[in-house]
Structure formats: structure tokens, C-alpha cells
Amino acid sequence: MTSHFFLLEAMVTQERLTWIEEVLKFYFLKLYPDTLLHHAKPKEVVFTFLITGDALYSLNEEDKLPIWEIILSLPSVKIILDRQELDLRGISVERLKMKNPEQVIDHNSMGLNGQTSFWKDVVKIARQNAEPLPSTIGYLQLESPYMHSSGLNTLRCLTAAMEVRASVDLYCYLDGVHLSHIHQNPTECQNIGKGLEGLSDNAEKRGLQCQMFACGRCAAARGYSTWDDGKGVVISTCTIKPFRIRNLNVIIDQFKRNHVILGGNIASIKQKKNTSSSKYSTADKGSAPPVTILITKAPYGTEYAFGALSFAVACAHQGIQTQVVFIEEGVYALTGSHHLGEETQYFNLQEVIDAVAESDNLQLYAYQPSLLRRRITKNKHMTAVLDIGKTELGQLLFHSSRGSQAGHQRVLFF
Amino acid sequence: MKEELKMIPDLSDLTCTNLMIRLKILLKKAPEDSAVECIVRRDQRDTIEVPFSRTGYNVIVHNIGNNRFQVSLKKKGERQEH
């Protein structure tokens, strides 16, 4: 039984792999040192890395391979690779597999169509963490289809979920809302719009639930919202039928449920349930899985950093315990002193951070090694963002001190 | 009244989350003893009224038209002029 898993799809930098290595070392050395003794090695897999897309390149690169080898030397770590995507990219993992034959899995389970599917394995791992069965599998989509292969992966994942009779939820945020566009007509790849419509039809036939949401703000910005009643209902003539354009708060409402939410770059960290509260209360704030949002991209150049912060504020506002970590290029949000003209509609991210820092259920952190690596320092006025190092990042991820009864923590990479 | 309304920022285009963020920024910047006012929609009013009153603010809301509300926020403990 897998306790924790990472699903990695985007290019993995050496920096990212290094902090992942560090948090795993923290887990084994500080929290479970006994597992490092040969006789006490756990029989079950503790960490699973599910790797697809461009993230696969990291398994074949000089600067990252040694880090993967260290990660695989830790007890009970397994990596499951997307065979189809490995072949497409001509990536060989033989060296890694030869050294760690039981831990590197490069062949996938068989799907209902008779073909092997990495996403079948993803769903299997995700469902091990889901309770009770039959479960729902959610998917958070941040990128547009066709420009990014993540759109197709979303469809593959949700299709695999439905094959094992799970209900499916799709949450489209930022450019992810483009998945909902009507009249998609690609000539060189699978039609994702049609695929999602087919998924919705299949769900109805099988008596499963299939919800697809697009964030109202993101959809409006991209020209989707053609009629808004001002009370939360938005009707668009340019979305496919299964989609509902709704306020972000409606999407966050779904995050209060206890299902596993997958995405292009996510992690799910199993946590001990806090049993001090009543086990019969399911609607209180302690039942929502805590969320850790990693802001990994520089502010302003893309919508990711602001979108992440806005998402975090919405989660916290709905009573979900939320931590935001500025890490990798995300630390640029904290450096220097940002200025914006008075008349602009856009947000100065430092002002936003300063304003939301005292919100209930929200904690903000700056990952010091990312600042050091770039030889930059945090703006000294940003005292509400607490400095953390490798150990503290490990604590944030693996200490279940946030009083949750959910049993797992969602980690979302933005 | 019209002149007065012109001075009050119309934030009815913002989503509820971004309205919260904008109001928190305005409250941080506002001089002591002053209230922050804005025009919002009904759903925005519902979203901001309870959280701000719960976290130490006096919230005063006036219906000023079809789905338009004038909201005034001021830190509790400070006298608020109507």
C-alpha cells in the first residue's frame, strides 16, 4: 500500500529534484529512522513517483540521475514510468532499472481497450488512498490543450478512472479553462473536447457522477462568459455541454471533500487522522484535506503566481488549512520592492501577500535554499512570509499537526 | 449622492476572492480611523459581510440599486460615521 505519491509531468529541474530528495531524507532520517535499518525495512511502498511527459527526461540526465539514485536508495521508494511517453521520447532507463530492478517499473497495466496505460497505474495508486469506495477522482487542469500534452493526459486519466468505476471531477483553472471550448477540431491529435463529452456520456450510462468546472474569473478573462446573472450562474455559448462555469469558491467547495485530486504536477501525502474530533462529523473544516500550494514560477510573466495565491486565499476562506510555499522561481515574488501604478487593475503581488498574510487558515513560507541558489534575498518588510529550510519543508509536508481528519494532504505545484 | 458615488470605487467586476484581496489591500493602506468603501454586487456582499464582521470590522451595507450595494468597512473600536 502506497502512503505518499508524486505525479510529475512537467520538466523536473535539478533544484526540484534536490528538494524532493531532501524532504524524503527528512522523512526517513528524522521521522522514521528505524526504516533505514536493514531488518526493519518496510515491506510496503512508502513513496511512489508516477512520472510521465517531459519529467521523464530527468531519468536520463547527468545532473539528475545521481539524485534519482539517492532517492531510490531510500527504503520503499518506487517509480512508475509512462512506457508510451518513454518510447515517444527515446528515453532509456536501463541503467537505473539495472541497479534498482524492483523499484523502477517501466511497464504499465492493461487498460480495458487491451492496451497498456500508465494512467491505469496512476488511478490504481490514487484509489489506494481513497476512502470509502466507490470513490471520486478529481483532476486539476491548469494548462491549455494542444499547446500542452497535459490536456490529453487529463482525458486519459479521467477515462482510466471511469474504467474502475470511479466518479470523476475536472477542475479547470487559469488556461485550463480552454479544455471547455466548443468546436475543437485538431487534425493531428485526439479531440479533447469530444473526449470529455464522451466521458460525460459514459458516466451517465454507468450511473457515475461526472462534474466539469471552469473557473469563472479565468473563463471571463478568456472570453467564455457570455451571460452572468450576477449570482453565480454563468451561461456561455462557447463551452461544451458538460462544463459549468462557476465562481472559484464553487470549485473550492469540491476541495472540501476527501477525494484524491490529481493534476499535472501534484503530490498526495498521507497523514494520520486527528481522532480528537468526532469521527461522525464530516462537514466541519477538519474534514477537508489540507492544501499546500507550491508557487514555483516567477510573478508577472505568467498568471501562475497570482493564480496560485488567489486559489490559496479562496481555500483558506472556505476553511481549508492552507500553506503556501514560495519555492524555485516563485521566490522572485518576495525579492526587491515591487511598484505598480495607481490606476492599474493588476495586483502588486507583494501587496497581495502583505494583505492576506493574516488570513485565518493561511500560512506563507519562503524556501531559503531557492533564494540562496539565486543569490537573492527576501524583502525585509515581508515579515509575514516565514523563512524555511529543508527541515522545515519536510515538517510542513509530513507533520500532521493541522488537526485534519482527512487522512491526506494535497500538494499542488503552480 | 451621484457625486459621492463617483468617489467610491466600483469593484463589482471582481470575483469574490479577488475582491477580498483588494479590500484587504485597501484596508492596509487606509489611514487610521478611516473606512474603506466600495460598490459591489449581491453575491460579493454576501461573501464579504460575514468574514469581515467576524474578523474585527464594522460592515455597513446600503442597497443602492439593482444588484448594487455600497459597502463600508472599518476596524471595530473606531467610531464610524454614517
Side-chain angles (χ1 to χ4, degrees), chain A residues 217 229-231 247-249 306 310 313-314 317 342 345-347 351-352 354-356 358-360, chain B residues 13-22 24-25 28-29 41-44 47-48 51 54-55 67:
Chain A
R217 175 184 71 83
D229 75 347
K231 295 171 191 167
N247 190 299
L248 179 58
N249 288 336
F306 176 71
S310 185
V313 170
H317 179 56
E342 284 295 319
Q345 281 183 303
Y346 199 61
F347 285 96
E351 273 185 3
V352 174
D354 194 36
V356 304
E358 288 162 22
S359 304
D360 287 348
Chain B
D13 279 346
L14 294 181
T15 61
C16 296
T17 306
N18 289 350
L19 174 67
M20 294 279 288
I21 293 172
R22 181 72 76 192
K24 285 183 175 187
I25 291 172
K28 279 245 169 193
K29 284 183 176 175
R41 305 184 308 261
R42 182 189 305 275
D43 61 317
Q44 292 175 315
T47 312
I48 59 177
R54 245 190 351 219
T55 51
N67 199 19

Side-chain angles (χ1 to χ4, degrees), chain A residues 265-296:
Chain A
N265 298 283
I266 59 102
S268 175
I269 306 294
K270 197 154 192 175
Q271 293 190 318
K272 279 184 189 155
K273 288 186 184 184
N274 185 326
T275 51
S276 57
S277 311
S278 164
K279 64 180 177 180
Y280 300 108
S281 58
T282 52
D284 62 338
K285 72 177 187 179
S287 65
V291 171
T292 295
I293 290 177
L294 305 176
I295 299 186
T296 68

Side-chain angles (χ1 to χ4, degrees), chain B residues 2-82:
Chain B
K2 268 186 182 171
E3 275 305 301
E4 207 178 304
L5 274 182
K6 269 184 191 171
M7 306 296 291
I8 300 173
D10 184 342
L11 303 181
S12 57
D13 279 346
L14 294 181
T15 61
C16 296
T17 306
N18 289 350
L19 174 67
M20 294 279 288
I21 293 172
R22 181 72 76 192
L23 286 175
K24 285 183 175 187
I25 291 172
L26 292 172
L27 286 164
K28 279 245 169 193
K29 284 183 176 175
E32 259 183 63
D33 295 333
S34 67
V36 166
E37 295 185 308
C38 62
I39 310 292
V40 298
R41 305 184 308 261
R42 182 189 305 275
D43 61 317
Q44 292 175 315
R45 180 206 66 179
D46 297 344
T47 312
I48 59 177
E49 204 170 8
V50 176
F52 278 101
S53 6
R54 245 190 351 219
T55 51
Y57 289 92
N58 278 319
V59 184
I60 297 169
V61 182
H62 294 296
N63 189 341
I64 55 166
N66 186 20
N67 199 19
R68 285 174 71 77
F69 296 83
Q70 183 179 327
V71 176
S72 169
L73 300 166
K74 194 174 181 186
K75 200 88 179 146
K76 271 178 191 164
E78 297 159 5
R79 243 184 79 239
Q80 189 152 6
E81 287 170 20
H82 293 264

